[in-house]
């Protein structure tokens, strides 16, 4: 890291570097964000690190003024290693809470030593340090933003025991965790009233595009969407709960989470961040895609466009299979029938007030069922039942793999999943930034020339080579442009019938 460049970022409090670098002060033992309001220390007393985990592994503790836990988390896009990006996604989902580094490396198809070396090279910290920092910063956020009892904070942030939680905070901050809470108001119960957390992102953020995408695919009873709020039921480890997400007053989203088990909180937050694509760096992605003249006006029109993620791999696969060759509206109708027939009913007054009554069916709920009786071709119903049987036997089928190619191959081995569906699942569930369903009719329409001539899938795939490693975001811009064209009265009947849905 260039010392003078980092130093200038702190002197000018440049928000562009927030989340990219952290400054540690040798004399105080504290590390800060570039936007910290405190007076910038003398140069000889400062050192810089690429991640919060690297700062904490070096023995520094988080600043209580600028709160590093509230900075945009760009870890998934830092560096050039796809393996590190996938490992970070697994750690955020809790892989290190129940396993070790060796198990994490095995899931990614690399050796333990290789994974440690990549983490040192790109993040300046070990996988264990990254996981520990994730727990500490989440706990600190919950302490300062909620009224959860300390025991529930410990469980909700991924600590195995309250004793370990207290020891870590005492060692890191030199005080018990309760001393970090600014308000001494009566503590609340997470299970009874839920908690509200702020989830930061790198601006700009196209909320209108995101909420429009989710609204078009919302399942009645499972999801409820208004222009300023998204709400849905969610199942984590057998427990049913409700999440609502809305735009905040700054560069953050506000999530209200109501779950009976506080231990599910890290997984729920990870899912929200994944669905709303909060780790993306739109400036970096947009600058790269804008090297292609055809994408320049699309990126300029939507500088904050994100790639919506998925809440659950099985749910997305079912949606994608049902949406093959039919419209979004028709696919949503089929999914609604499936949910009404096999989804667990949620008996919660708060959920009912939002119009939420059911959870999406688990794979085991569909195994052995005659799904075609809901009003779809027998072959498609059989494919869904076979998919449910496969996922029930291997719940980890939708976790990130060592590379995009191996992920696509594994997904195509699933019943009813072809190349397009596999690429779509990789894009939304596995969060592969380079996934690209090149045969999608919307993408082909989006790349039509001024005469209306569309490229072939092979021609589009060749053109997209220049968009790597952000082809998923190029696809999102093309889909958005295609949607604008479809919304005009000039669209053809044939195109309307060919519109894909998922």
């Amino acid at each position: 890291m260039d010392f003078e460049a980092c130093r200038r970022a702190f002197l000018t409090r440049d928000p562009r570097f927030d989340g990219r670098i952290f400054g540690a002060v040798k004399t105080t033992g504290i590390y800060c964000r570039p936007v910290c309001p405190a007076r910038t220390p003398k140069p000889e007393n400062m050192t810089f690190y690429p991640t919060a985990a690297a700062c904490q592994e070096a023995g520094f503790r988080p600043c209580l003024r600028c709160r590093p836990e509230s900075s945009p988390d760009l870890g998934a896009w830092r560096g050039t290693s796809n393996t590190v990006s996938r490992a970070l996604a697994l750690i955020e989902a809790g892989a290190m809470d129940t396993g070790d580094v060796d198990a994490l490396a095995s899931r990614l198809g690399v050796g333990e030593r290789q994974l440690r070396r990549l983490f040192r090279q790109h993040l300046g910290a070990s996988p264990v340090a990254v996981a520990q920092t994730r727990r500490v910063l989440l706990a600190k956020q919950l302490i300062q933003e909620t009224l959860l009892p300390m025991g529930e904070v410990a469980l909700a942030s991924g600590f195995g025991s309250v004793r370990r939680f207290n020891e870590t905070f005492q060692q890191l901050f030199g005080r018990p965790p309760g001393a970090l809470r600014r308000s001494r108001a009566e503590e609340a119960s997470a299970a009874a009233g839920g908690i509200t957390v702020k989830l930061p992102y790198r601006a700009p953020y196209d909320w209108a595009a995101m909420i429009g995408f989710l609204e078009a695919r919302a399942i009645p009873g499972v999801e409820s969407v208004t222009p300023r709020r998204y709400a849905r039921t969610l199942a984590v480890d057998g427990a049913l709960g409700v999440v609502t997400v809305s735009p905040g007053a700054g560069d953050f989203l506000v999530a209200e989470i109501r779950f009976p088990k506080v231990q599910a909180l890290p997984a729920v937050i990870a899912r929200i961040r994944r669905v709303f694509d909060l780790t993306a760096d739109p400036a970096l992605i947009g600058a790269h895609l804008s090297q292609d003249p055809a994408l320049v006006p699309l990126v300029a029109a939507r500088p904050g466009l994100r790639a919506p993620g998925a809440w659950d791999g099985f749910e997305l696969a079912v949606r994608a299979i049902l949406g093959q060759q039919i419209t979004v509206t028709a696919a949503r109708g089929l999914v609604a029938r499936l949910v009404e027939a096999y989804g667990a009913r949620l008996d919660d007054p708060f959920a009912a007030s939002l119009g939420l009554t059911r959870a999406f069916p688990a794979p085991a709920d569909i195994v052995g069922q005659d799904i075609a009786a809901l009003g779809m071709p027998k072959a498609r119903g059989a494919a869904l039942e076979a998919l449910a049987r496969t996922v029930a036997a291997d719940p980890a089928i939708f976790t990130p793999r060592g590379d995009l190619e191996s992920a696509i191959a594994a997904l195509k081995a699933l019943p009813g999943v072809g190349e397009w569906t596999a690429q779509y699942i990789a894009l939304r569930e596995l969060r592969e930034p380079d996934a690209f369903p090149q045969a999608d009719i919307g993408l082909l329409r989006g790349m039509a020339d001024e005469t209306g001539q569309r490229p072939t899938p092979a021609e589009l795939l060749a053109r997209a080579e220049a968009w790597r490693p952000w082809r998923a975001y190029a696809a999102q811009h093309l889909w958005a442009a295609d949607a604008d064209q479809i919304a005009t009265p000039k669209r053809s009947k044939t195109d309307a019938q060919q519109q894909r849905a998922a």
Side-chain angles (χ1 to χ4, degrees), residues 146-149 152 186-195 257-260 262:
T146 76
L147 294 176
L148 283 176
E152 292 188 2
E186 183 179 359
E187 294 182 333
S189 168
I195 67 164
I257 303 169
R258 291 172 175 257
F259 256 81
V262 293

Side-chain angles (χ1 to χ4, degrees), residues 169-204:
F169 269 78
Q170 187 68 45
Q171 180 181 8
L172 184 60
F173 294 98
R175 66 189 79 177
L180 298 178
R181 178 159 281 167
R182 295 173 181 173
S183 171
R184 305 307 300 176
E186 183 179 359
E187 294 182 333
S189 168
I195 67 164
T196 301
V197 294
K198 297 177 181 178
L199 303 177
Y201 55 76
R202 171 75 61 179

Side-chain angles (χ1 to χ4, degrees), residues 325-363:
Q325 303 296 337
I326 62 176
T327 66
V328 172
T329 302
R332 186 171 61 178
L334 288 176
V335 177
R337 292 182 212 167
L338 187 77
V339 169
E340 184 66 26
Y342 307 116
R345 183 171 291 278
L346 189 66
D347 186 15
D348 181 344
F350 175 77
S353 70
L354 298 175
L356 306 177
T357 58
R358 291 188 180 272
F360 194 88

Side-chain angles (χ1 to χ4, degrees), residues 102-358:
D102 187 50
L104 178 64
S106 297
R107 294 175 68 174
L108 295 167
V110 300
E112 179 183 357
R113 292 181 61 186
Q114 172 71 351
L115 185 62
R116 292 181 184 275
R117 185 189 66 79
L118 289 172
F119 265 65
R120 286 291 176 190
Q121 176 184 345
H122 294 279
L123 303 177
S126 67
V128 172
V130 170
Q132 178 75 341
T133 301
R134 164 184 162 271
R135 296 187 195 104
V136 169
L137 294 184
L138 175 57
K140 186 170 177 288
Q141 181 181 15
L142 295 177
I143 290 171
Q144 297 190 312
E145 292 185 5
T146 76
L147 294 176
L148 283 176
M150 290 301 160
E152 292 188 2
V153 169
L155 296 176
S157 52
F159 283 90
S161 68
V162 176
R163 178 180 177 182
R164 178 59 179 160
F165 167 70
N166 289 329
E167 289 177 349
T168 299
F169 269 78
Q170 187 68 45
Q171 180 181 8
L172 184 60
F173 294 98
R175 66 189 79 177
L180 298 178
R181 178 159 281 167
R182 295 173 181 173
S183 171
R184 305 307 300 176
E186 183 179 359
E187 294 182 333
S189 168
I195 67 164
T196 301
V197 294
K198 297 177 181 178
L199 303 177
Y201 55 76
R202 171 75 61 179
Y205 192 97
D206 194 337
W207 170 263
M210 176 63 72
I211 205 68
F213 183 95
L214 296 174
E215 181 180 22
R217 293 156 180 81
I219 307 170
V222 175
E223 299 170 286
S224 172
V225 184
T226 67
R228 298 289 295 176
R229 188 202 66 211
Y230 173 87
R232 74 160 286 153
T233 60
L234 196 62
V236 177
D237 296 331
L240 297 181
V242 175
V243 299
T244 63
V245 182
S246 57
D251 295 340
F252 59 86
L253 300 183
V254 178
E256 183 179 353
I257 303 169
R258 291 172 175 257
F259 256 81
K261 296 180 180 179
V262 293
Q263 294 93 328
L265 188 60
V268 173
I269 290 177
R271 293 193 191 193
I272 295 172
R273 290 168 55 80
R274 179 176 68 192
V275 169
F276 289 87
D277 198 16
L278 299 184
T279 60
D281 186 343
L284 173 67
I285 297 169
H288 179 80
L289 296 180
S290 293
Q291 296 177 29
D292 187 326
L295 297 183
V296 170
L298 306 186
V299 175
R302 297 176 178 83
L305 190 67
R306 308 294 171 117
W311 292 100
D312 175 76
F314 176 68
E315 176 183 322
L316 178 67
V318 169
R319 286 174 177 250
I321 291 174
L322 288 177
Q324 292 168 353
Q325 303 296 337
I326 62 176
T327 66
V328 172
T329 302
R332 186 171 61 178
L334 288 176
V335 177
R337 292 182 212 167
L338 187 77
V339 169
E340 184 66 26
Y342 307 116
R345 183 171 291 278
L346 189 66
D347 186 15
D348 181 344
F350 175 77
S353 70
L354 298 175
L356 306 177
T357 58
R358 291 188 180 272

Side-chain angles (χ1 to χ4, degrees), residues 76-87:
W77 309 116
R78 188 180 290 109
T80 57
S81 172
N82 289 328
T83 299
V84 171
S85 295
R86 296 181 179 97

